[in-house]
Amino acid sequence: MMTDPAVIESLVRRAVKAAMHSGAGDTSSSPSPLGWVDGRPNLRVSISARHCHLTDEHVEILFGKGATLTPEKPLYQDGFFAAAQTVMVVGPRRRMLPSVRVLGPTRNHSQVELALTDSISLGIDAPTRHSGDIEGTPGCVLVGPAGTVQLEKGVIRAARHVHMNFDDCEYYGVKNGDMMQLAIKSPSCSVTFDDLLVRADKAAKLEVHIDTDEGNACHLDAAESIELKPQDGGCKCHG
């Protein structure tokens, strides 16, 4: 038996309309913002140990012609990694740190990031700067298995900061370049850190970076609660 084409078309239209209506309010398949868990940002606080960033040119000088960085361990931020390579950092009067990890990928300028105790050990008066802000900073000598590099500038104490994507920014009510506050409660050594720079990027996951001195000061491994909030007020608690 043949069916009237008009009837078939009507049935198809009704089926499509019903399917669209039933899925209109269904957000179960909508992807969560990057790094979120159970509908909210998943805050991570990481201790950023001393490390360096290198240019392609300096990688070849230090590790040999044609050398490239070899990823050894991925970092929390997608696309970044701890390389298998390390360098010796030499300061004034031949004070040195023998094995400083190189992080990848390569950059447009080489930079060494230290904690205060590291800079004291090297005899370098490294200023507190945000990554990339190296004008007027001291330099050092980098030594690799294939050669040496004299950095005229680029040694800094890395200022604490927080990576976040734009959904995280909206959640906390902040924007790129704002300052935030981090309160860490640990047994007998709770600490509140001010002046965390917001570094917003669509591909970032929520992560605070503090250095080894700061991590030891608050006994991060024993933290009972962590609170991140805009520096001028507000509150979003995690932990």
Side-chain angles (χ1 to χ4, degrees), residues 108-153:
N108 294 327
H109 61 268
S110 292
Q111 173 179 297
V112 178
E113 299 184 26
L114 306 172
L116 175 59
T117 50
D118 296 325
S119 61
I120 293 173
S121 176
L122 282 175
I124 297 177
D125 186 15
T128 301
R129 296 284 187 88
H130 291 289
S131 184
D133 181 12
I134 62 173
E135 288 303 317
T137 61
C140 67
V141 175
L142 303 179
V143 181
T148 63
V149 169
Q150 172 72 59
L151 292 184
E152 299 300 328
K153 59 185 177 182

Side-chain angles (χ1 to χ4, degrees), residues 9 18 73 104:
E9 181 178 357
K73 179 182 178 181

Side-chain angles (χ1 to χ4, degrees), residues 51-174:
H51 61 272
C52 71
H53 302 278
L54 299 174
T55 64
D56 290 326
E57 177 188 4
H58 288 168
V59 169
E60 289 203 34
I61 293 173
L62 292 165
F63 302 104
K65 185 69 174 178
T68 58
L69 294 181
T70 303
E72 182 173 81
K73 179 182 178 181
L75 302 181
Y76 185 60
Q77 299 299 326
D78 295 335
F80 296 86
F81 59 89
Q85 291 94 330
T86 64
V87 296
M88 178 185 295
V89 178
V90 183
R93 298 182 297 280
R94 296 187 179 181
R95 297 181 183 179
M96 63 187 70
L97 295 171
S99 298
V100 176
R101 184 68 54 186
V102 180
L103 300 188
T106 53
R107 294 190 176 185
N108 294 327
H109 61 268
S110 292
Q111 173 179 297
V112 178
E113 299 184 26
L114 306 172
L116 175 59
T117 50
D118 296 325
S119 61
I120 293 173
S121 176
L122 282 175
I124 297 177
D125 186 15
T128 301
R129 296 284 187 88
H130 291 289
S131 184
D133 181 12
I134 62 173
E135 288 303 317
T137 61
C140 67
V141 175
L142 303 179
V143 181
T148 63
V149 169
Q150 172 72 59
L151 292 184
E152 299 300 328
K153 59 185 177 182
V155 181
I156 65 172
R157 292 170 54 196
R160 48 187 172 262
H161 55 275
V162 54
H163 295 278
M164 55 173 58
N165 57 50
F166 300 126
D167 292 299
D168 298 325
C169 287
E170 183 177 358
Y171 180 86
Y172 283 97
V174 296

Side-chain angles (χ1 to χ4, degrees), residues 156-215:
I156 65 172
R157 292 170 54 196
R160 48 187 172 262
H161 55 275
V162 54
H163 295 278
M164 55 173 58
N165 57 50
F166 300 126
D167 292 299
D168 298 325
C169 287
E170 183 177 358
Y171 180 86
Y172 283 97
V174 296
K175 62 184 183 301
N176 188 56
D178 284 353
M179 293 293 178
M180 300 191 76
Q181 185 181 77
L182 181 75
I184 298 178
K185 292 186 178 181
S186 300
S188 301
C189 57
S190 297
V191 176
T192 297
F193 296 108
D194 291 334
D195 304 328
L196 274 77
L197 178 73
V198 172
R199 296 172 60 178
D201 184 274
K202 64 180 181 180
K205 291 181 283 190
L206 184 60
E207 182 183 26
V208 170
H209 280 171
I210 57 178
D211 67 26
T212 50
D213 292 342
E214 293 164 333

Side-chain angles (χ1 to χ4, degrees), residues 6-22:
V7 174
I8 295 176
E9 181 178 357
S10 177
L11 291 173
V12 170
R13 286 179 180 274
R14 288 167 61 183
V16 171
K17 184 177 180 180
M20 291 178 63
H21 179 74
S22 65

